[in-house]
Structure formats: C-alpha cells, structure tokens
C-alpha cells in the first residue's frame, strides 16, 4: 500500500510520511522512497531527536545510517537531509559510497579525522583523501599524523594544496628525504624550508637558471648551494647567471 501511495503521489510531502514509510513499510530507504524524497529534496527538515521520540530509541540512528549509505538519493537530497540531521560519526568504516557523496560527508564534518579513519579513507576512498585532509588540516597535523602513519607521497600532494605554510612545514619535519623545490605553486617559505632541510641535488641546474627570479631569501640559499656544490657545477658545465658570479 505504501509503495502505491508514494508512486502515485497520494501522500503529502512531509517528514512524518517519509519516516512512516521507512519504518513501517518494511522496505526502508528503497528506490520508491528515494524517488519520493528526490522530488522535493530541499523541503525536508528532519530533527534527529524527534525521530527517536516518534518511533523508538535508535530510530534516528537507523535513519541516519540509511541516508548515508543510500545510492538512490540524489546529491541535493543527500546533502540537505544530512545537514538537517546534524550528526557525526565518532568512527567511520562504511565502504561503497560514491566519491561525490563521501565529499559531502567530509565537507559537512560528518566523518571525524582520527588515525584509524585516515587509514580507512586512504585505502577505500583514495580520490577523497586530499579533501578529507584539507577540511581537517589542523587536526590532521596536530593530532593524527605521526611517524607510524606518515606517508611521503601524501605529504608531496599536501604541499601543492591551499593550506597554510605552517602545516606544510610541520609535515616536512617528518622526513629527511630529498624533495624537489622546483614546483611553481610552492611559496617561498616552503621552498626555503626544502632547500635548507630536504635539498635535492637534481634541482641544482634549475635553481641556477632561475636564480634571478627568486626572492632575496631564496637567492641567498641558492648562493650557499652553489658554493657547496661548485665542483659538480663545473664538472657538469651548468649554466651560472652573471649575478651569481659577483
């Protein structure tokens, strides 16, 4: 009966009718209910505590989890319903959610940044890992990343995204491995740290060629690098700008 009522739009678009179908039909959040919701995805405002009051304890959690796992809800409905429910996971290990919906969970702060969840997201949602880190960069650097879970390749990606330099420098402190400084999006702060602490000898020719374009701080570091590697520069006949020879 419920399926026919929804399919033929014979019930009002209301939170209580959605919940009555979800809990009473035996079908849960199936395609019929999802299609019904998707027709008015921006008109629902579910109050988590009231779901428990109306049905039974744990009902709000059951509905929330069903929404999170739903493949049938469109992105607008998915976003709006989760925002109205206003819940977060203290831990998270649900597989099979689309990348676009995982980003919604991340952007709404529903997935908490903790070490075990970072590892889970890395493994099961690699396309969303950078967004997860960016949205939670302070906690990632201050509470989550450690010698045990530090990932060099992940760090190199973080160096290229738009987060404060202090976070990037803190992350580089976990490694002594060489890092190329010849990346346009790196700030002078990041380049200077790399050249002082993670210098890559392969950068020498590029550093010399670009010497005159650098800020004074970077030029001073390049001058030190040139002095310390004079034999390699001569042996390989690297280009040296006139300004650097003064």
């Amino acid at each position: 009966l419920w399926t026919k009522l929804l399919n033929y739009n014979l019930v009002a678009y209301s939170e209580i009718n959605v919940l009555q179908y979800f809990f009473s039909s035996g079908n849960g959040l199936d395609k019929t209910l999802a299609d019904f919701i998707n027709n008015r995805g921006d008109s629902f405002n579910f109050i988590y505590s009231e779901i428990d009051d109306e049905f039974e304890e744990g009902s709000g959690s059951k509905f929330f989890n069903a929404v999170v796992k739903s493949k049938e809800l469109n992105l607008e409905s998915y976003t709006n319903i989760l925002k109205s429910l206003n819940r977060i996971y203290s831990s998270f290990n649900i597989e099979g959610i689309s990348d676009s919906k995982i980003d919604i969970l991340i952007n709404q702060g529903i997935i908490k940044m903790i070490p075990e969840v970072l590892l889970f997201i890395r493994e099961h949602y690699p396309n969303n890992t950078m967004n997860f880190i960016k949205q939670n960069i302070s906690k990632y650097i201050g509470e989550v990343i450690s010698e045990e879970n530090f990932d060099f390749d992940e760090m190199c990606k973080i160096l290229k995204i738009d987060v404060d330099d202090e976070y990037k420098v803190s992350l580089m402190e976990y490694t002594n491995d060489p890092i190329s400084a010849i990346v346009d999006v790196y700030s002078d702060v990041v380049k200077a740290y790399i050249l002082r602490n993670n210098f890559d000898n392969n950068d020498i020719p590029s550093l010399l060629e670009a010497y005159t374009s650098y800020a004074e701080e970077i030029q001073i570091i390049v001058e030190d690098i040139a002095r310390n590697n004079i034999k390699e520069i001569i042996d390989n006949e690297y280009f040296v700008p006139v300004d650097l020879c003064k």
Side-chain angles (χ1 to χ4, degrees):
L1 177 61
W2 268 108
T3 300
K4 289 183 179 179
L5 291 173
L6 265 64
N7 281 337
Y8 290 101
N9 296 318
L10 298 176
V11 295
Y13 284 96
S14 67
E15 291 82 4
I16 190 60
N17 282 334
V18 168
L19 294 171
Q20 286 286 0
Y21 180 96
F22 179 81
F23 289 110
S24 303
S25 70
N27 298 326
L29 212 173
D30 62 355
K31 188 176 187 306
T32 296
L33 182 56
D35 288 345
F36 179 78
I37 294 171
N38 288 338
N39 286 333
R40 298 281 184 87
D42 60 349
S43 64
F44 296 107
N45 183 32
F46 294 96
I47 311 246
Y48 185 88
S49 60
E50 292 181 3
I51 298 174
D52 279 0
D53 293 340
E54 181 68 26
F55 295 91
E56 62 181 1
E57 186 176 353
S59 295
S61 177
K62 184 176 180 182
F63 182 66
F64 171 66
N65 284 320
V67 172
V68 168
K69 296 175 183 178
S70 174
K71 291 177 168 51
E72 304 291 347
L73 288 173
N74 64 32
L75 297 182
E76 180 185 23
S77 298
Y78 193 80
T79 299
N80 291 333
I81 292 175
L82 289 173
K83 186 175 182 179
S84 71
L85 288 169
N86 192 30
R87 307 299 294 178
I88 67 169
Y89 284 107
S90 57
S91 189
F92 183 82
N93 60 0
I94 301 173
E95 300 179 30
I97 299 174
S98 70
D99 287 351
S100 55
K101 287 181 176 177
I102 283 291
D103 271 340
I104 291 169
L105 297 177
I106 290 169
N107 294 340
Q108 290 196 17
I110 292 170
I111 303 177
K112 188 176 180 181
M113 172 63 82
I114 55 177
E116 54 266 36
V117 173
L118 173 62
L119 296 178
F120 178 83
I121 295 293
R122 282 175 176 173
E123 179 178 356
H124 297 281
Y125 299 101
N127 295 333
N128 306 91
T129 302
M130 280 299 105
N131 185 38
F132 185 48
I133 291 170
K134 184 176 180 180
Q135 295 295 329
N136 299 276
I137 189 65
S138 179
K139 187 164 287 189
Y140 172 84
I141 296 294
E143 301 177 24
V144 172
I145 207 69
S146 66
E147 294 285 352
E148 289 72 29
N149 61 24
F150 171 79
D151 183 282
F152 184 87
D153 291 337
E154 183 172 275
M155 176 205 69
C156 290
K157 293 177 183 178
I158 294 170
L159 295 181
K160 297 176 183 178
I161 66 175
D162 183 21
V163 296
D164 289 347
D165 287 337
E166 63 180 291
Y167 297 127
K168 297 178 181 181
V169 170
S170 294
L171 196 54
M172 286 189 287
E173 290 174 356
Y174 283 98
T175 181
N176 294 316
D177 290 346
I179 302 171
S180 176
I182 312 302
V183 178
D184 289 340
V185 295
Y186 290 173
S187 69
D188 286 344
V189 171
V190 170
K191 287 179 180 177
Y193 183 93
I194 291 172
L195 293 174
R196 289 191 179 107
N197 299 277
N198 301 88
F199 175 61
D200 185 344
N201 268 52
N202 294 318
D203 282 353
I204 291 176
S206 297
L207 290 170
L208 296 175
E209 289 174 10
Y211 171 79
T212 56
S213 68
Y214 290 137
E216 183 179 0
E217 180 187 12
I218 305 298
Q219 286 185 339
I220 292 170
I221 299 172
V222 173
E223 289 165 10
D224 287 339
I225 290 171
R227 280 192 292 269
N228 294 333
N229 295 273
I230 190 67
K231 185 177 186 303
E232 180 179 345
I233 293 170
I234 294 171
D235 289 347
N236 289 280
E237 299 182 350
Y238 291 149
F239 166 79
V240 179
V242 173
D243 289 350
L244 188 54
C245 298
K246 294 178 181 179

